[in-house]
Amino acid sequence: MKLKRVVLILLITIGGLTGLFAEASTEESIALFYDAFDMIWLVLSAALVFFMQAGFAMVETGLTRAKNAGNILMKNLMDFSAGAIAFWAVGWALMYGASKGGFLGSSQFFLAGADPAMFRDWMFQVVFAATAATIVSGSMAERTKFSSYLVYSVFISAIIYPISGHWIWSGDGWLASMGFHDFAGSTVVHSVGGWAALVGAIVLGPRKGKYVTVNGKTERKAIPGHNIPLAALGVFILWFGWYGFNAGSTLSGTDLSIASVAVTTTLAASAGAVIAMITSWIMFGKPDPSMSLNGALAGLVGITAGCGVASPVGSVIIGIVAGVLVVLSVEFIDKVLKIDDPVGAVSVHGVCGVWGTLAVGLFSTNPDMPGLFYGGGFSQLGVQATGALAVFVWVIATSTVLFLSIKAITGLRVDEKTELEGLDIGEHGMESYSGFQIFSTM
């Protein structure tokens, strides 16, 4: 605190010498600098989170087939672009407008009456809304109509994500009033995207050739991604952007917890990657690159809710559990449930999002809401479980209605010919790798 004040006074002195603050008192000048630092930090953090769109695009493209690469990129471009307009028109108001009973907002549609602070906050929040929307792209990859995906993107950004977000982040929501804690969005963002991804994959059905019947028994068939280096680049981009996601959620450029949040984020991601590698090595006999990459993302999702209240030791444990969970969950969803999720989005964001939310009730060191392992008993854990369950029910119900409606009205899935030749050609009339033979019969 002393160092921060010295820096501010130094800046004020320099400003005074140039006449910038000649007419302002010291207190007013300090307040101005606080506001300026907050503005810079939040807009910069928003830019980092926006860059995560590129990360999602690279991960999904790398883990799917070459014939659908352009379609994946278009979905990641358009779920942000269409979603941003929807969030500006409706989503922001439902999430942060004047609360109606703690369930949804009711004012500030189209950012009516916005001041510079609201523009700053909207910019930071719209990239979170885009993250929730783009998670679904991976689970529905390689067989979804592009036009239908656009409809989904608008609805999740305008209605589904903002309403559950209001319950937790608006300051007046019913879950917030219970003491539910989700620092940067394990539930608000990731579980919302993960559970919508689950519904989308179920309603859509598996890719052609994914599950085959042999002698009356259904067996799964691996459909490898075409570019693991591209997927790895995407994970590194996501990890980089996550510092804006988590540390940016301090919401202030002068908050000294920025560094500790970055540390817990780093440790959880690292632990998740290492343990997912070890788990895959034990289960499959080789250290699987795709599982290891998803392990890093699982650790990141897992620490997102508690990155501001967990200790470094707690963050490592959260990452370890997430690393094991993601491998087991991917295998369970694929082998047992036979739900085709090409990139493991449900496991990374849905399952590990819930784990991260519950982990707050176990590992929180905040004296106002101590976790079970820090003398707090089961109270906070119960609140966290209630919030996770409420959001699960909300997203499953609304996503089911949405996807079934789209399926009935316009159709959700491309025809078999388009799926076989690739969505790049069938949906967009072009090839991502012109001149290469990438046609496949599966």
Side-chain angles (χ1 to χ4, degrees):
M1 290 297 293
K2 290 181 178 179
L3 177 61
K4 179 170 67 174
R5 199 161 187 83
V6 168
V7 172
L8 287 172
I9 292 173
L10 178 61
L11 290 171
I12 291 165
T13 302
I14 295 172
L17 291 174
T18 60
L20 182 60
F21 299 100
E23 298 180 1
S25 67
T26 300
E27 290 76 12
E28 291 172 335
S29 299
I30 290 175
L32 177 62
F33 271 108
Y34 270 94
D35 290 343
F37 272 100
D38 292 350
M39 182 73 74
I40 293 167
W41 176 239
L42 282 178
V43 174
L44 176 61
S45 295
L48 288 173
V49 178
F50 172 74
F51 191 42
M52 290 172 70
Q53 287 290 125
F56 280 113
M58 297 301 98
V59 169
E60 293 166 20
T61 301
L63 294 179
T64 53
R65 290 168 290 184
K67 63 184 180 179
N68 300 307
N71 175 258
I72 297 288
L73 298 176
M74 280 292 287
K75 289 196 296 182
N76 279 270
L77 171 65
M78 287 302 159
D79 60 30
F80 179 85
S81 301
I85 295 172
F87 192 72
W88 161 71
V90 178
W92 169 269
L94 293 179
M95 191 164 180
Y96 289 104
S99 185
K100 291 290 187 182
F103 287 94
L104 76 166
S106 60
S107 62
Q108 301 175 10
F109 291 93
F110 298 95
L111 290 181
D115 57 18
M118 188 186 293
F119 284 130
R120 173 200 67 197
D121 295 343
W122 181 88
M123 191 63 231
F124 186 65
Q125 292 300 330
V126 71
V127 291
F128 280 67
T131 298
T134 203
I135 288 167
V136 186
S137 173
S139 74
M140 299 176 67
E142 303 198 287
R143 70 263 202 216
T144 306
K145 278 187 175 181
F146 181 66
S147 58
S148 299
Y149 185 81
L150 290 178
V151 174
Y152 150 78
S153 297
V154 168
F155 274 89
I156 192 171
S157 299
I159 298 173
I160 297 175
Y161 167 81
I163 290 179
S164 56
H166 181 85
W167 302 347
I168 300 165
W169 279 354
S170 69
D172 300 311
W174 68 275
L175 282 175
S177 67
M178 292 176 58
F180 182 83
H181 182 84
D182 187 358
F183 189 82
S186 287
T187 283
V188 175
V189 179
H190 294 283
S191 284
V192 168
W195 300 138
L198 175 63
V199 174
I202 292 172
V203 174
L204 192 59
R207 290 167 290 176
K208 182 176 175 58
K210 173 63 180 174
Y211 300 106
V212 295
T213 301
V214 179
N215 297 325
K217 183 179 179 181
T218 301
E219 298 180 359
R220 67 169 181 166
K221 185 174 183 180
I223 303 179
H226 83 284
N227 196 327
I228 293 299
L230 196 62
L233 174 62
V235 169
F236 283 117
I237 291 173
L238 286 170
W239 193 333
F240 176 71
W242 227 287
Y243 293 114
F245 208 98
N246 284 4
S249 291
T250 58
L251 305 180
S252 174
T254 59
D255 190 323
L256 297 185
S257 68
I258 288 173
S260 65
V261 170
V263 168
T264 55
T265 299
T266 302
L267 291 175
S270 301
V274 171
I275 297 303
M277 176 194 71
I278 293 172
T279 304
S280 69
W281 207 332
I282 293 171
M283 291 179 64
F284 312 131
K286 300 284 185 180
D288 187 283
S290 64
M291 286 294 189
S292 303
L293 293 168
N294 266 341
L297 298 181
L300 288 164
V301 171
I303 196 59
T304 295
C307 57
V309 296
S311 68
V313 171
S315 67
V316 170
I317 297 172
I318 291 170
I320 287 172
V321 175
V324 175
L325 269 179
V326 73
V327 178
L328 297 181
S329 176
V330 165
E331 287 296 290
F332 179 77
I333 290 172
D334 190 14
K335 280 186 175 179
V336 179
L337 300 183
K338 293 183 171 53
I339 297 171
D340 186 13
D341 179 2
V343 304
V346 177
S347 300
V348 170
H349 301 279
V351 174
C352 291
V354 169
W355 159 239
T357 301
L358 297 177
V360 172
L362 299 174
F363 296 101
S364 173
T365 60
N366 188 325
D368 295 327
M369 41 168 278
L372 176 64
F373 299 144
Y374 292 86
F378 289 92
S379 176
Q380 189 63 40
L381 183 61
V383 172
Q384 296 300 116
T386 299
L389 178 61
V391 172
F392 171 80
V393 171
W394 164 253
V395 177
I396 292 294
T398 53
S399 296
T400 299
V401 171
L402 175 60
F403 284 121
L404 288 178
S405 297
I406 295 172
K407 184 176 181 179
I409 297 170
T410 64
L412 190 60
R413 185 171 184 139
V414 298
D415 59 58
E416 185 175 323
K417 179 177 181 295
T418 298
E419 185 175 350
L420 287 175
E421 70 180 4
L423 275 64
D424 284 5
I425 295 174
E427 288 281 277
H428 306 286
M430 52 82 70
E431 295 178 280
S432 295
Y433 302 95
S434 181
F436 290 83
Q437 177 60 46
I438 58 174
F439 179 80
S440 138
T441 58
M442 62 166 285

